[in-house]
Amino acid sequence: KQEVTQIPAALSVPEGENLVLNCSFTDSAIYNLQWFRQDPGKGLTSLLLIQSSQREQTSGRLNASLDKSSGRSTLYIAASQPGDSATYLCAVVYGNNRLAFGKGNQVVVIP
Amino acid sequence: DAGVIQSPRHEVTEMGQEVTLRCKPISGHDYLFWYRQTMMRGLELLIYFNNNVPIDDSGMPEDRFSAKMPNASFSTLKIQPSEPRDSAVYFCASSFVQGEQFFGPGTRLTVL
């Protein structure tokens, strides 16, 4: 069974600092990895999708890397802003198109 | 496209009542997923469909839960009878092949 871990569960950073969020998964046989953002009481917004053959993916201030062999992905958010405060979820697609989620990193950016 | 649409957004019901949640996926997507989110367990996959056919329902907690997809643009998740421990946010998501999954806004279910 695929297990996805995100540590730490919660973190606070001052505005302007770069954010680094880590995700690890137990089974390296994945099709892709997706990072989501969830605001309190809201649904999930897809941020980045990395195919298993890719090493990284970038969108604006966001950059996600994937090291499939070691079962790790990292999401970098450059120059964090208070609007980046949210929970960030990592999910991997494996097996027959199943998606396994981590429990998320709850981020607070302090103005 | 309007994205994945779910209804109702909020549902409050009493224990023992039947609850039906509805989902309209993004047009053209061939996969549809139902998830449940709770504080204790996080996001869990309940069931998913490919081309309207259920592929994996191993996440459905028990026989009280059932899901259908009568056509490519509509799916339902039914709980009968509902229990307080079913209280959670239920999300529907869709994707094309094994691509990016897009989530609906969720249905917040409270069973009293």
Side-chain angles (χ1 to χ4, degrees), chain A residues 31-32 34 36 38 40-49 51 89 93 95-99 101-103, chain B residues 9 31 33 35 37 40-43 45 48 55-56 58 91 95 97-105 108:
Chain A
Y31 293 108
N32 60 54
Q34 201 167 348
F36 295 87
Q38 186 174 29
K42 304 289 186 182
L44 277 70
T45 301
S46 178
L47 297 174
L48 289 168
L49 172 75
Q51 299 291 351
L89 294 148
V93 175
N96 193 4
N97 206 23
R98 296 182 61 87
L99 193 67
F101 279 88
K103 294 235 174 125
Chain B
R9 296 292 309 276
Y31 279 88
F33 306 81
Y35 294 91
Q37 186 177 39
M40 288 292 293
R41 301 171 70 93
L43 263 163
L45 176 65
Y48 73 94
I55 302 300
D56 187 343
S58 61
F91 288 104
S95 73
V97 193
Q98 288 168 345
E100 193 173 5
Q101 290 197 17
F102 294 88
F103 280 67
R108 183 172 297 275

Side-chain angles (χ1 to χ4, degrees), chain B residues 8-101:
Chain B
R9 296 292 309 276
H10 301 273
E11 177 83 32
V12 180
T13 190
E14 292 190 348
M15 182 173 67
Q17 296 296 307
E18 176 180 301
V19 174
T20 299
L21 310 181
R22 297 173 175 80
C23 175
K24 176 179 168 56
I26 292 173
S27 176
H29 282 186
D30 56 350
Y31 279 88
L32 183 139
F33 306 81
W34 282 101
Y35 294 91
R36 178 172 67 177
Q37 186 177 39
T38 61
M39 289 292 292
M40 288 292 293
R41 301 171 70 93
L43 263 163
E44 301 174 283
L45 176 65
L46 299 176
I47 184 172
Y48 73 94
F49 296 82
N50 177 219
N51 293 322
N52 313 337
V53 176
I55 302 300
D56 187 343
D57 65 355
S58 61
M60 297 285 260
E62 47 197 276
D63 292 345
R64 296 185 297 106
F65 285 70
S66 62
K68 293 182 180 179
M69 192 164 185
N71 57 62
S73 60
F74 183 66
S75 176
T76 60
L77 178 68
K78 185 178 292 187
I79 308 172
Q80 179 184 22
S82 57
E83 296 183 2
R85 58 191 168 125
D86 301 330
S87 298
V89 181
Y90 291 81
F91 288 104
C92 175
S94 70
S95 73
F96 177 64
V97 193
Q98 288 168 345
E100 193 173 5
Q101 290 197 17

